[in-house]
Amino acid sequence: MNQRIKDIADAATRLFLQQGYARTQIGHIAKAVGISVGTIYLDFTGKKEILHFILKCTIDPDFIQREFARPITDDLFVGLEDELIALLDKLGNDFAAHLENDLVDYSFERLISDTFDILSRYAVGCLFIEKNQFDFKNLAENYRTFRRKFFDTMICYMEAYIQQGTVRPLEHVELSTTLIIETLSWWAMDIRYTSFETRNISSDLAKQICMDNILSAYKNN
C-alpha cells in the first residue's frame, strides 16, 4: 500500500465530510496532508478521482491494498455509482432477512450489535451522501430509499420483540426506534468524523457503550 495515497484519502475524507465536497479544493487536501498540490497530482488526476477512491474503499476495504498505476484515473471506477446503489439494496434486504424467519436464533442484542456494525462499516459512504446530497442527487435519492427501508425494518423488529416480550412495551415505538438508530449512528459514525469535537474512541468501545445503554433501556427484565 502506498502510504501517501492513504494519507491523501484520509485527509480528503474528513474534509469532504466536514466542509463538503464542493467546498473542498485540492489545495485544502494538500495542506491537510502536508504535501504540495503537485505531489497530489502524482497520485490522483483530480478531486473526483480521490472521492471515487474513497467510496470504492468503503465498498471494498481491501481495495486500498492494491498496487496502482499512478496517477489514479477515473477509468478505475467505471460503474461505481451502480455498485453503490446495488450495495444499498443488498444491505436493506440482508438487514430484513431475520424477519422472514420469525426471529429464530436472532436476539435483540444481536439486532443492536448488527445495526451498529452496519453503520460503522459504511460510515464514510453514508455520511458522505448525507453531507453532499445536493451535489450527488441520484445517490442521495437511492440512499433515502435505503434509509426509509432500514428504518421501517427496525420498527418491525422492535414490534416483534415487544410482542415476544423481549423488549418492554413502548408507547411510541416509531420515536423510540428513531432514538435507537440516531444513538447508534452518532456513536458509530458521527463521533469519528463529523461531530463538533471528533473523538478518537475505538469502534469496540463505542459499540460497548451503545450496547450497555440501549439494552438496559429497552430490554424487558
Side-chain angles (χ1 to χ4, degrees), residues 149-185:
K149 181 176 181 178
F150 192 88
F151 180 74
D152 289 344
T153 298
M154 192 72 164
I155 291 176
C156 289
Y157 275 120
M158 292 296 290
E159 290 175 339
Y161 284 122
I162 291 170
Q163 185 175 5
Q164 187 185 83
T166 301
V167 169
R168 64 180 177 81
L170 298 170
E171 184 177 356
H172 303 287
V173 177
E174 182 173 332
L175 294 178
S176 295
T177 303
T178 300
L179 178 63
I180 291 172
I181 291 176
E182 291 301 324
T183 299
L184 291 169
S185 296

Side-chain angles (χ1 to χ4, degrees), residues 101-167:
N101 200 27
D102 296 326
L103 305 183
V104 173
D105 297 325
Y106 196 65
S107 65
F108 181 52
E109 290 88 343
R110 177 77 180 279
L111 170 68
I112 301 304
S113 176
D114 286 351
T115 304
F116 181 95
D117 289 345
I118 291 170
L119 295 171
S120 179
R121 166 72 178 79
Y122 298 104
V124 169
C126 292
L127 285 172
F128 176 82
I129 297 172
E130 290 177 13
K131 305 299 181 183
N132 297 276
Q133 58 181 301
F134 299 111
D135 295 307
F136 300 89
K137 293 181 179 179
N138 187 43
L139 268 181
E141 186 61 33
N142 282 275
Y143 181 67
R144 286 190 194 95
T145 300
F146 163 74
R147 277 178 59 95
R148 182 70 254 174
K149 181 176 181 178
F150 192 88
F151 180 74
D152 289 344
T153 298
M154 192 72 164
I155 291 176
C156 289
Y157 275 120
M158 292 296 290
E159 290 175 339
Y161 284 122
I162 291 170
Q163 185 175 5
Q164 187 185 83
T166 301
V167 169

Side-chain angles (χ1 to χ4, degrees), residues 54-66:
I54 292 166
L55 294 177
K56 182 68 175 181
C57 290
T58 298
I59 297 173
D60 178 10
D62 293 330
F63 183 76
I64 199 169
Q65 304 295 336
R66 290 175 52 174

Side-chain angles (χ1 to χ4, degrees), residues 1-18 24 28-30 32-33 40 44 50-51 53-55 57 64 124 192-193:
M1 177 185 65
N2 185 304
Q3 184 61 43
R4 193 171 68 208
I5 287 178
K6 183 179 185 304
D7 291 343
I8 291 170
D10 288 345
T13 295
R14 293 194 175 277
L15 289 169
F16 291 159
L17 295 182
Q18 292 171 1
T24 300
H28 299 150
I29 300 171
V33 180
I40 285 191
F44 294 92
I50 298 174
L51 165 64
F53 183 88
I54 292 166
L55 294 177
C57 290
I64 199 169
V124 169
R192 293 155 54 191
Y193 297 106

